[in-house]
Amino acid sequence: MRSLWTLVERLCGVLAVLALFALVILPFTQVVMRDAFDAPVPGLEEATRWGLIGLVYLALPLLVSTNEQIRFGEVVDLLPRRGRTLLERLLLLVAVAVLVVLVDAAVGSALKNASNRTPMLNIPFRLFIAPMVIGLGLTALGALYFALRRAPPPVAPPEAGFLDREPEL
Amino acid sequence: DVTLRYAHVGAEGEGQTRFAEELAKRIEERTDGRVTIEVFPNSQLGNLSEMLDAVRIGAIQMAHHDFSSLDRFYEDVAVFNAPYAYRGMDHAMKATAPGSPVLDEINEKLIENAGIRIVGNFYRGARHLTARYPVYSPADMAGKKFRGVPIQLWSTMLEGMGAIPTPVEISEIMPALMTGLVEGQENPLNNIIARKMYEANKYLMLTGHMESVLAVFVNEDAWEGIPDEDRAIMEEVLKEVGQESLDWYRDSEADEIAFLKEQGVTVIDEAAGLKLDEFREAVRAKVAEDYPAWADYLKRIDEVQ
Amino acid sequence: MNEGFLVIAGFFALFIAGMPVAFAILVPSVIYIGLGGIPMAMVAQRVLYALDSFPLVAVPVFIFVGNLMNAAGITERLFRFADVLVGRLWGGLAQVNVFASLIFSGVSGAALADVGGLGRVEIKAMSDKGFPLPFSASVTAASAIIGPIFPPSIPIIIYASVTSVSAVQLLVAGIVPALLAVVLLMITVAILSLRRSYPRAPHWPTPRALWRAFWPAAPALLAPIILVGGMLSGHFTPTETSAVAVVYVLLVGTVFYRSMGPRFVWKAAVETVRSTAAILFIVAAAAMFGWILTVEGVPRDVAAAFAAIGTDPWVLLLVVNVIFLVAGMFVDSTTATLLLVPIIAPPVVAAGVDPVHLGIVIIFNLMFGTVTPPFGLSLFLLSNMTGLSFSRLAMAMVPFYPALVAALALLTFVPELSLWIPSMLR
Ligand code: NA
Ligand code: NA
């Protein structure tokens, strides 16, 4: 199970990083095409925005195993170990419930708006919303796994999270 | 009793905000409070894409925007935004109002595809060109970067004028004009004033390339849920306020141009040498090339008297 | 009672209980939508379209720039250059600490990137020279505030995205206030150091020494000039600027410093996507919250409350300062911006306060909150890095508060400080 989740993380990580590269390459291309060649490419901005959606939702599953969402941990930290484990499990289960509702709503929305397309590139709505459905769905599965497995759920180390991650010097 | 959420992107003080408020007020009065319309201006309930999808699923029941924005549901609805399609504002209003054969035909498709019905329209002013330098004919725009709405139809139009359509977020339009990232842009007069574009672009060309008529649309299920008699009242009020929007515009247009002149803007119209015919011809040719399927619609729009 | 306030109460209850911010927002929102008979697809569309935003693309790309700079060892070279340049001032390395933050702020958009990257170098150097640890840590925290005030800035991008104020204007508006904060902090450091007789460099640098420190740092020093120059000249939007900066840093890292292999880049990229997901998922969730509050008329109620206070812009600005200073003490800047700005900014702007000026005042307040108890993210991180207790750190911060309050007061009541540079762009 754990190694299966590691595989999911790898895959999502690779896709999200590819999306990040797209967020660098596409606007840079626009700058070059527009300022050097006077030939702005229509629709690049739209593709870039889609890349952002892909990046955020495909990277979301990566935060589960380290429990590094931004949050206020001061009160949780005061609890005794068992109380804390219990609370963490409960929080994860609530998150799963919300994510399931979201995925269901997103799928419903994709079906209902099936004929929609984005204005410039004509990206079909189903494709447009797909990264979100996949990312939220995987996050729900991951959260469920960590909430229910025998070992206590992950506790974010105080220095975890982007804000506080130790940079390599 | 029915309460409808009505969303639009217009800001405080804009004609479209006035329209929505006036509409809400009169509908509530005439239906004796049986139909209440809560207006949410300024994209408060989400950006354009979101607003359209929300009307489709019924989370928002009513909204207004450019006809072309509805093309995600049925492509040809954008024909009502086609540049140089109308003989003037009255013709534009008539051709795009419920009851116009072309509008009714396209409306059927919208209802079928998306459950969205166009129930009214109003006038927001013609769109004109501004630039950092004087423009008299499409030749003056050749190879220059102009900002257009990032939609295919606008690209077609600007290309027809000879310019290079360049995407710029509307919130960044001032820095882009100020620094010369783009040479100019096109918008209705009130927008040009509201965003103080005259500080960067000292030339206004009264090209009137698009008659900006906005579509008022509702979620079909919500519409069906309103009793027949109240629906009839709503249609009547929509027609009435839509007609008044023409007067609001007529009243304000001269003031707006006078204001811009006070700000040191040079206004170039036909009398000053603007070659409107060349613009019309060049743009229409490009539209015909990019949208061959519209030929029939455009002909029938032209036939509306 | 207005159901919007129940949703807010629900958020706070879950937030205190340790629920991640994004979920603390989503749970009461989903319940509201469910009970209100509004199609649930609405929630999905909000969290989707909130991120369908070109300006927000700058967030991950700016984070990426900062991570690459740290990974390439550029941070240390910047520190060394600052050391040679200002190490002779009263306070020695403490002044270097402040000045290095100013240089680093030209490429980094987050306060905590400064603390976690540069701060590590700074604190170690100061400890080696015999500075007391609490002082070193507090200088680091206070100076890290500058990062998100000086462009680039992630908090400012997020602010611009919720207000439709031009991001370019907001970003360049932060330049003078950041310099002002630097000057005030350096004066504070000088006074404290004189009183406590902290060490400083034995003499001013020779031109030769200066040149030798400058040269390795030069490409990194050029980066902020490209960033700010690109935006001021109008050649790039903030999003494009961030992309150009990444390409530049990659070039410098691989060609000039030769320290940046594919593994470093990959690691920096993975870090970046994790951080981005953590921040922007909150942005997506907050969009839901804003929708509900609007439908419930909360902004209208708040506007009415502001109208009751009066229409004097100075009074309103004072009120804004109090609200955001307190908010910044309890929640992180992203959350505070997303939840409060859409409600509070419109009535204040309507009263005549320039939206760009207001944005800088609000961001400064929220950054102030990163160095105050009880919820000061910079202090948490420093406490973790140094092993000092949170309360000890908070005490050490106290001498720096007057300088920060003075900076805040100045930029609140002298709008020109913020508006001078953006006035060139409108
Ligand atoms: Na910065
Ligand atoms: Na520092």
Side-chain angles (χ1 to χ4, degrees), chain C residues 105 108-109 147-148 150-152:
Chain C
S105 74
S108 161
F150 197 92

Side-chain angles (χ1 to χ4, degrees), chain C residues 104-110 146-153:
Chain C
F104 190 67
S105 74
V107 287
S108 161
I146 301 157
I149 309 290
F150 197 92
S153 163

Side-chain angles (χ1 to χ4, degrees), chain B residues 5 38 40 43-47 49-50 53-54 57-60 72 169 171-172 174-176 178-179 181 195 199, chain C residues 38-39 41-42 45-46 49-50 52 54-55 164-169 232-235 238 291 294-295 424-426:
Chain B
R5 279 189 280 271
E38 290 178 54
F40 297 94
S43 308
Q44 279 175 0
L45 298 186
N47 65 21
S49 306
E50 211 175 336
D53 287 357
I57 61 171
I60 296 171
R72 64 207 271 120
E169 296 275 323
S171 61
E172 300 299 347
M174 272 313 286
M178 211 68 199
T179 56
L181 178 76
R195 293 195 177 266
E199 286 180 5
Chain C
I38 299 164
M42 184 67 217
Q45 288 176 0
R46 279 251 87 174
Y49 285 122
D52 184 22
F54 191 64
S164 79
V165 178
S166 155
V168 170
Q169 292 182 357
L232 272 179
S233 73
H235 276 93
W291 197 90
T294 307
V295 167
M424 298 172 195
L425 287 175
R426 51 179 165 179

Side-chain angles (χ1 to χ4, degrees), chain C residues 97-98 100-101 114 118 122 139-140 143-144:
Chain C
N97 188 322
V98 178
S101 282
D114 182 329
L118 188 59
E122 291 167 340
V139 180
T140 304
S143 58

Side-chain angles (χ1 to χ4, degrees), chain A residues 17 31 34-35 49 52 57 62 66 68-72 98 102 105 109 113 125 132 159 162-163 165 167, chain C residues 18-21 27 40 43-45 47 49 51-52 54 112 116 235-236 240 243 266 271 274-275 375 384:
Chain A
V17 166
V31 169
R34 185 189 58 214
D35 293 357
R49 296 199 306 260
L52 181 66
Y57 287 109
L62 305 184
T66 47
E68 63 180 86
Q69 302 257 13
I70 295 170
R71 67 172 187 170
F72 182 76
V98 169
L102 275 181
S109 171
N113 291 310
F125 187 74
M132 183 172 115
E159 85 279 16
F162 109 89
L163 300 168
R165 188 174 296 267
Chain C
M19 184 119 223
V21 174
V27 170
M40 197 54 83
V43 186
Q45 288 176 0
V47 297
Y49 285 122
L51 300 181
D52 184 22
F54 191 64
L112 296 199
H235 276 93
F236 326 128
E240 290 166 357
W266 184 259
E271 287 306 307
R274 299 180 88 102
S275 340
F375 187 72
N384 183 257

Side-chain angles (χ1 to χ4, degrees), chain B residues 80 82-96 123 126 207-213 246 250 270 276 280 284 297-305:
Chain B
F80 294 115
Y84 294 117
Y86 306 104
R87 292 184 300 275
M89 54 206 274
D90 293 298
H91 177 218
M93 275 297 283
K94 255 196 206 122
T96 57
Y123 189 70
T207 43
H209 46 268
M210 275 187 193
E211 294 289 357
S212 192
V213 184
L246 285 169
R250 278 194 197 98
E270 256 189 310
L276 263 183
R280 189 176 298 121
R284 287 182 126 180
Y297 286 128
L298 285 169
K299 193 166 144 273
R300 286 162 59 201
I301 285 177
D302 199 49
E303 281 161 11
V304 175
Q305 286 306 317

